[in-house]
Amino acid sequence: MSAMVFPFGAGAAQADPRASDKAVVGGKGANLAGMAAIGLPVPPGFTISAEICAAYAQGEHRIDDALREEVARAIAHIEAATGRGFGDAGNPLLVSVRSGARVSMPGMMDTVLDLGLNDATVEGLAQASGDARFAWDSYRRFIQIYGDVALGVDRNLFEDALEIAKEDNGFYTDVEMEAEHWQALVRDYKRIVEEETGAPFPQNVQTQLWGAIAAVFDSWDSERARVYRRLNAIPSEWGTAVTVQAMVFGNRDQNSATGVAFTRDPATGEKRCFGEWLVNAQGEDVVAGLRTPQYLTRAAREAARAKPLSMEEAMPEAFAELSGLFERLEAHFRDMLDIEFTVEQGRLWILQARVGKRTAAAALRMAVDMVAEGLIGEEDAIARIEPMALAQLLHPTLDPDAPRDLLARGLPASPGAASGAIVLDAESAERRAERGEAVILVRVETSPEDIHGMHAAVGILTARGGMTSHAAVVARGMGRPCITGTAAVAIDMAARRLSIGGRAMAEGDIITIDGATGEVMAGMVPLTQPELTGDFAVLMAWADHVAQRTGRRIGVRANADTPADCRIARQFGASGVGLCRTEHMFFQVDRIGAVRRFILSHEAGMKAAALAELLEQQREDFRAIFAEMQGLPVAVRLLDLPLHGFLPEGAGDYATLSQEIGLGVDHLRRLAQEMHEFNPLLGLRGCRLGVVHPDIYAMQVRAIVEAACALPEGEGPQRIEIMVPMACTGAELALIRGQIERVSSEVLRKAGRDVPLHVGAMIEVPRAALMAGDLAREASFFSFGSNDLTQTTLGMGREDAARFMGRYLDHRIYGTDPFITLDAEGVGQLIALAMERGRATRPDLEIGLCGEHGADPASIALCLGWGMDYVSASPYRVPVARLAAAQAALKA
């Protein structure tokens, strides 16, 4: 039988290769074992395999005897290494119990510290340490965290009891509490536990240990963990490992401390010591944002004009030892590290080191710098940057010339800028965001339970916490601007009001935050768009080189409907336009009237006049787009939207139209009602419009070809591709193709020009995929409209599915949202079949994909594997797709 428990530290020999496998022992367990093996000061401990988590969940949450025996032997290893006994009243061993999945999920699962304390061992700890205050403080911390995590007691009950105790004694801070005050609070905490659970606080240390282990396993399926996994595409079957480690105490005395350090700046990527620390505190005080920490370095403290001494100044020897480990750690892990450390009575201990979360800008700089330093290669640099994180670089920043009404300053925890309405809880953030509002989540401090609100918000502002608190770490990972430790924020939740910098504000008021400077401003401040240069350009060049060298290249085009979209697409390296949607053009104010006159007028002359007006406007639309995309291909989709989508909605629109075409309002309303469709997705749309109303498509084709002829030779697109939407029979496509060729031939003959023109089919319904061989006889290219193909294959609308897809993912009906990542098993089979049949008919058939999936890394990898020529994404997602394409090429 394979081992289930893997000891580390204090000379623990580990021949089993699974001890360093993150899939088995999690990232935390693997990293601790690795650091211990190279001689770093790691407290001894052991890790329980993540495989046990799955067995625990499937086995009615039972722990078997074999696991208990292995854990007992591992506890004996820690006892031998420390010279202390687990449950020994005279010389007690205390341990921490932490989660550790194979990928970092900061704050999403549970941790228990100071486990092993009870009414007897607290006395032994007081005697052994010579510090009763420290012992009773540790005991009250343990009861609070164990009561919350393992027993389900509302943590606010403990917090309220602490505040009452400080108020009764006239204290303002925890450090003023003495041993007798903590001892009295322990009695209050134990009473709270018994009142809430109906049982006394457990005194048996084995009961404590297995209760904590079970709680960590259970936290893998907590609501916040499920949400985080869903947002980050982490499989639920992975489970979490559990690491049990000897406690070291940063709250021992004034020569003890705790902190978090990064080997490089996680916001900018600069190679400098970055982090925070607290004297006489435990790690949870920093990570959970319970106290606002101090700076690690003197330079950082002076830059912030902070008064409390930095670690570099207050504990120079421990700081020198810590900073001296940075190079060694980076050489071992070949990446930037996030380090949790404790100093116990002057001695440094490393509690955890993991690959650090970072902004996209920092990731780019680190990758390029590490290649220059010889730490990694170009392929490593490409592979380690999350493609979707590049979207952070495209977020707006504040207009430097715009006026600002400064309210307060906090800690710049995650860069970027955002304006929005104040919301004071996660539920309100999610609710208002669903209505289309931009919201800023303002909290005293965030907790893992706020994850859904943080995701819904455009920015986050907290009153407490530092730059390594939960809010900061999660916001950086999500790409949200965030400011923490804003002492000038005071929140009255009962009244749903707050003050910022002494100014009274209410929920719903607009504020702006700048996560790069820590500034909070009243009202909305104009934003500017960033430009991508420097490290971004270097990485993109590497990505293109890798794709070319491997021979597994897939092009990246852009979905672009305007000249501005085209300019952005070219700036970001798009290889052409993969989808130009023409119906968006019809909704512009200066032409919607003509569209409505064409639809509802009975007079042939008025219809023809409306089309002539639209022809002029469409011609200019296409001319401007073609000019921007000089030398690159442009695919134009003919009108797809049902005509009733352009009909008037309000009384004013009907009145105006009535005057223009001479029909009464009531008559127009009846005509509109007659055009109503019960299922517009499957109604008179796409190529069916070209069959029923051929003059619409004829006008569009004429505009396209005349626009191309209006440009001088060599100044237009490399070629123009006209896409016929929703075609599912060869006869349909042949009819539309004939119309296109007749109009284009006439225009080209009159102009005396030869414009490269291709006609293709959008594959958007299952029948089109099945009949791809027939369609390829009429089409010179295919473009998969993956949004509609997914809807028609699954039989569910994208917008409606959003309301229940979360439940489907929780039940593992789908592994990922099929509207975000292509459904490889279902939709993917249709795509592969269509490609096979299409190229069997026409071997040189060009094939692309232009749905929302064109920017999804997993979907891009599928498209590369199927042999597609290109994917097409929104202009701002083109860099994401380019990087994802290079990563897919490396893995292929």
Side-chain angles (χ1 to χ4, degrees), residues 7-12 32 36 41-46 74 77-83 93-96 243-248 349-350:
F8 59 81
L32 286 170
V42 173
F46 61 88
H77 158 71
I78 303 176
E79 289 176 321
T82 61
L93 167 68
L94 306 186
V95 297
S96 62
T243 295
V244 179
Q245 195 172 16
M247 283 291 300
V248 288
W349 293 95
I350 305 299

Side-chain angles (χ1 to χ4, degrees), residues 148-171:
D148 172 24
V149 168
L151 303 178
V153 178
D154 185 351
R155 63 182 177 184
N156 290 316
L157 296 175
F158 298 118
E159 292 288 350
D160 291 345
L162 173 58
E163 293 303 316
I164 290 170
K166 288 193 291 187
E167 184 177 327
D168 288 347
N169 289 283
F171 299 151

Side-chain angles (χ1 to χ4, degrees), residues 628-814:
E628 289 290 346
M629 300 307 293
Q630 178 181 344
L632 296 176
V634 176
V636 180
R637 182 177 72 187
L638 297 178
L639 186 63
D640 185 28
L641 191 70
L643 291 182
H644 70 80
F646 300 102
L647 294 178
E649 295 183 358
D653 291 336
Y654 273 104
T656 300
L657 187 60
S658 174
Q659 293 176 356
E660 291 178 352
I661 66 176
L663 295 176
V665 169
D666 290 341
H667 184 60
L668 289 175
R669 287 186 182 275
R670 282 196 301 273
L671 291 174
Q673 183 61 34
E674 290 172 3
M675 296 183 65
H676 171 74
E677 292 185 325
F678 291 101
N679 192 342
L681 174 67
L682 304 177
L684 182 58
R685 58 169 291 201
C687 66
R688 297 161 203 156
L689 285 172
V691 173
V692 177
H693 299 287
D695 39 0
I696 297 177
Y697 274 14
M699 178 275 294
Q700 288 197 295
V701 173
R702 184 176 297 277
I704 291 168
V705 182
E706 287 181 354
C709 292
L711 293 171
E713 292 276 2
E715 294 187 14
Q718 175 194 37
R719 67 180 179 275
I720 297 171
E721 301 168 348
I722 297 180
M723 297 200 298
V724 180
M726 293 297 288
C728 61
T729 74
E732 275 178 321
L733 190 55
L735 179 64
I736 302 299
R737 182 188 180 101
Q739 296 171 358
I740 292 171
E741 289 177 344
R742 282 193 295 275
V743 174
S744 61
S745 296
E746 175 193 339
V747 174
L748 292 173
R749 185 175 60 254
K750 289 181 179 179
R753 293 282 298 275
D754 182 16
V755 174
L757 194 68
H758 300 266
V759 178
M762 290 196 73
I763 309 299
E764 300 174 275
V765 295
R767 192 181 196 281
L770 295 171
M771 303 302 296
D774 287 346
L775 291 174
R777 293 188 178 93
E778 307 295 337
S780 59
F781 69 92
F782 283 170
S783 180
F784 286 95
S786 61
N787 298 340
D788 275 342
L789 185 58
T790 298
Q791 292 187 105
T792 54
T793 302
L794 301 185
M796 62 176 73
R798 179 174 51 175
E799 289 77 13
D800 294 326
R803 294 183 295 180
F804 58 81
M805 187 54 65
R807 186 66 60 87
Y808 265 56
L809 297 177
D810 287 343
H811 287 296
R812 304 175 191 175
I813 296 172
Y814 292 115

Side-chain angles (χ1 to χ4, degrees), residues 418-593:
S419 297
I422 294 170
V423 292
L424 298 179
D425 61 73
E427 288 69 30
S428 297
E430 189 171 50
R431 186 170 57 253
R432 296 179 72 155
E434 286 174 352
R435 298 201 298 260
E437 292 185 64
V439 297
I440 305 288
L441 179 62
V442 183
R443 302 282 279 158
V444 174
E445 64 201 14
T446 64
S447 71
E449 284 76 15
D450 291 324
I451 182 72
H452 56 297
M454 298 174 74
H455 184 254
V458 298
I460 300 152
L461 172 65
T462 69
R464 294 206 298 248
M467 291 191 290
T468 54
S469 64
H470 173 266
V473 171
V474 173
R476 282 196 292 269
M478 288 182 171
R480 302 291 190 274
C482 177
I483 301 173
T484 58
T486 315
V489 171
I491 301 173
D492 182 348
M493 285 298 296
R496 309 293 293 189
R497 299 188 65 84
L498 69 163
S499 69
I500 304 179
R503 190 178 307 182
M505 307 195 83
E507 200 166 22
D509 288 348
I510 303 296
I511 59 171
T512 297
I513 64 171
D514 186 344
T517 65
E519 294 180 335
V520 184
M521 291 142 281
M524 187 171 293
V525 178
L527 305 176
T528 58
Q529 300 297 329
E531 294 184 5
L532 298 181
T533 56
D535 295 333
F536 171 82
V538 171
L539 187 79
M540 289 294 100
W542 290 344
D544 293 341
H545 173 70
V546 162
Q548 291 171 348
R549 182 177 53 76
T550 60
R552 301 282 291 173
R553 183 175 179 83
I554 185 169
V556 177
R557 297 194 192 180
N559 302 334
D561 309 334
T562 68
D565 287 344
C566 293
R567 281 193 293 275
I568 294 168
R570 291 203 75 139
Q571 177 188 349
F572 292 152
S575 59
V577 171
L579 174 63
C580 176
R581 291 164 287 221
T582 56
E583 56 271 9
H584 290 183
M585 304 169 183
F586 286 2
F587 280 107
Q588 295 180 27
V589 176
D590 63 345
R591 60 191 73 178
I592 188 64

Side-chain angles (χ1 to χ4, degrees), residues 206-287:
Q206 292 294 332
T207 300
Q208 294 174 1
L209 176 63
W210 289 105
I213 291 171
V216 172
F217 282 150
D218 288 337
S219 70
W220 174 255
D221 260 335
S222 66
E223 178 62 22
R224 65 180 185 267
R226 287 200 301 269
V227 170
Y228 188 90
R229 290 201 300 272
R230 188 185 310 148
L231 295 176
N232 292 277
I234 297 172
S236 58
E237 61 268 20
W238 281 2
T240 181
V242 177
T243 295
V244 179
Q245 195 172 16
M247 283 291 300
V248 288
F249 299 97
N251 61 329
R252 186 74 176 263
D253 51 30
Q254 292 302 116
N255 197 31
S256 301
T258 190
V260 176
F262 292 80
T263 56
R264 303 186 190 219
D265 190 322
T268 67
E270 182 182 355
K271 190 173 183 180
R272 68 180 182 90
C273 178
F274 175 94
E276 298 166 322
W277 77 310
L278 278 171
V279 175
N280 199 6
Q282 286 195 339
E284 288 300 295
D285 296 336
V286 177
V287 176

